[in-house]
Amino acid sequence: MTITRTCSSRRNFILGAAPAVAGGLALPGMAREVFAQPAGGATSKTGSANEKIWSNEYWAQKGEVKLYMFRKRAAAPQAGKLALPVLFLVHGSSTSYRSFDLNVPGHGDYSVMDKFAGYGFDVWTMDFEGYGRSSRTEGNSDIASGVEDLKVAVEIVARETGQERFHFFGESSGALRAAAFAMVRPERVNRMVLGAFTYTGQGSPTLADRAKQVEFYRTHNRRPRDRDMIRSIFTRDKPGTSDPAVGEALADVELPFGDSVPTGTYLDMTANLPVVDPLKVRAPVMIVRGEFDGIATEEDLLNFYKKLPYQDRQFVVLPGAAHSVSLGTNRQQFWHVMRTFLEMPPRLDGAKAG
């Protein structure tokens, strides 16, 4: 393993190794019905500032549950054109996919979807059961439920793109969902970036505080989520690591969908960790941690990192960032490290390279 350290602000280090290719290509039979319902490409519905990027909406079906999906790319797909690499974004516990396509007028670019569509990716995301435009049910939308959601969603992606394997980025409990999905559907995973991830939860001040409400999470399938709660995502670890306008903009687009969200991921993160076995994540992985993130200690994340079976792996600490690496003041650093990892050239066989 090679170790590279670069400093910006206070610190930023990457533990890297030579890349490898993950997973097989055999696809299991689809256990649940999936269907695509394009609903037109109107970026104005999302609040995105970039009107030039093509977008479309889809629905996936999980039993009786309808799951909303959204897609962006630089231009509409055209027959005969080379397929773009697919990046699937997986949201966390307290917000919908809109956290990945946020418009904060007068405060710079915040849409991860727009940014990576501009980089040349075919960017997809979704609302999990009980979030955003997806069906609100009696379930608590825990990590296992999120894995089932991803199983049907990726079949829509495969059908629409003609591709079999995709890059994933998950943030917070979205990282748990993505990694848990990778354990059971390795043939669908190309490269994976896990932001604000947690492994065992040991030593986490955020989870220790959250655990005080564990009995509520056990007995209620939804929890309150008001404007103050959304603001706290950006202030609880280190005030000043994000622009206050971001919390307000995110609350503006989230609260029309209700003042509560499912409890399942909170219950998993306070009572059921670990929910991901690193030995079963057979894909290239980058772990991205904000310097001040209280969701997991560096030691806990490094314990997970060291057990990953693929040597194509990186561990990155972003200086000046807290829990939300994608919406913080230093989000450009996040864009940079994720793009670099996803565009890693393939490993060459040493016997053939010379």
Side-chain angles (χ1 to χ4, degrees):
M1 180 186 303
T2 59
I3 301 177
T4 302
R5 298 178 183 269
T6 60
C7 295
S8 171
S9 181
R10 298 182 69 177
R11 63 176 177 169
N12 174 24
F13 67 85
I14 301 177
L15 308 182
V21 179
L25 294 178
L27 293 179
M30 287 185 289
R32 302 185 184 218
E33 177 188 7
V34 295
F35 65 93
Q37 289 185 335
T43 54
S44 59
K45 292 183 179 180
T46 72
S48 170
N50 194 333
E51 298 292 340
K52 296 180 180 180
I53 291 178
W54 180 88
S55 67
N56 212 346
E57 299 169 299
Y58 305 84
W59 293 95
Q61 193 81 20
K62 183 182 73 171
E64 296 182 355
V65 177
K66 292 185 66 176
L67 300 169
Y68 176 75
M69 300 178 64
F70 189 58
R71 176 189 190 186
K72 280 192 166 186
R73 45 181 287 155
Q78 297 182 31
K81 293 286 187 179
L82 185 67
L84 300 178
V86 172
L87 171 61
F88 198 107
L89 307 176
V90 186
H91 72 73
S93 299
S94 300
T95 60
S96 68
Y97 91 84
R98 286 154 189 81
S99 61
F100 296 128
D101 194 34
L102 189 64
N103 182 23
V104 188
H107 292 263
D109 297 333
Y110 278 90
S111 173
V112 180
M113 297 192 78
D114 283 353
K115 184 59 62 173
F116 278 81
Y119 290 154
F121 291 86
D122 191 342
V123 188
W124 291 72
T125 188
M126 69 181 299
D127 285 337
F128 286 91
E129 180 180 334
Y131 290 86
R133 293 181 63 185
S134 291
S135 297
R136 180 177 293 198
T137 69
E138 296 300 318
N140 70 355
S141 197
D142 59 8
I143 300 300
S145 172
V147 170
E148 296 304 309
D149 293 351
L150 285 169
K151 285 180 182 178
V152 295
V154 297
E155 301 308 327
I156 298 292
V157 180
R159 180 177 301 175
E160 294 296 311
T161 66
Q163 299 190 63
E164 296 183 338
R165 300 171 67 206
F166 324 113
H167 301 309
F168 287 82
F169 167 64
E171 190 166 36
S172 194
S173 65
L176 292 173
R177 288 180 175 115
F181 172 79
M183 290 195 301
V184 297
R185 286 290 188 271
E187 72 280 358
R188 285 299 195 202
V189 180
N190 192 347
R191 304 178 77 81
M192 177 167 289
V193 178
L194 305 177
F197 184 69
T198 189
Y199 178 30
T200 69
Q202 184 174 0
S204 163
T206 298
L207 295 184
D209 184 66
R210 194 174 294 174
K212 298 173 184 177
Q213 302 295 322
V214 67
E215 289 308 314
F216 178 87
Y217 307 142
R218 292 185 194 276
T219 56
H220 295 77
N221 284 344
R222 297 188 71 86
R223 58 181 172 84
R225 190 274 316 258
D226 59 12
R227 184 173 291 270
D228 283 341
M229 189 275 149
I230 293 173
R231 288 171 177 152
S232 74
I233 296 171
F234 306 101
T235 60
R236 70 190 186 208
D237 294 319
K238 182 73 171 179
T241 54
S242 64
D243 186 330
V246 173
E248 302 304 323
L250 188 57
D252 288 344
V253 297
E254 287 289 342
L255 293 178
F257 292 95
D259 60 359
S260 68
V261 287
T263 57
T265 57
Y266 267 32
L267 178 60
D268 280 338
M269 295 170 80
T270 53
N272 299 322
L273 292 177
V275 295
V276 177
D277 181 351
L279 296 176
K280 295 181 180 178
V281 181
R282 305 194 64 80
V285 172
M286 170 186 276
I287 295 175
V288 180
R289 179 183 188 274
E291 176 185 5
F292 301 109
D293 191 5
I295 201 72
T297 65
E298 196 170 288
E299 180 182 12
D300 193 40
L301 294 178
L302 283 170
N303 286 338
F304 180 90
Y305 171 82
K306 292 172 184 177
K307 295 175 183 177
L308 290 167
Y310 274 58
Q311 289 304 300
D312 185 357
R313 55 184 180 171
Q314 295 184 16
F315 189 101
V316 179
V317 174
L318 295 180
H323 185 63
S324 179
V325 295
S326 65
L327 292 175
T329 301
N330 291 301
R331 62 199 178 280
Q332 292 91 345
Q333 293 185 347
F334 162 68
W335 298 340
H336 173 77
V337 297
M338 182 157 81
R339 182 184 183 185
T340 301
F341 181 71
L342 296 183
E343 294 181 345
M344 178 79 73
R347 176 176 177 171
L348 300 176
D349 187 323
K352 299 178 181 179

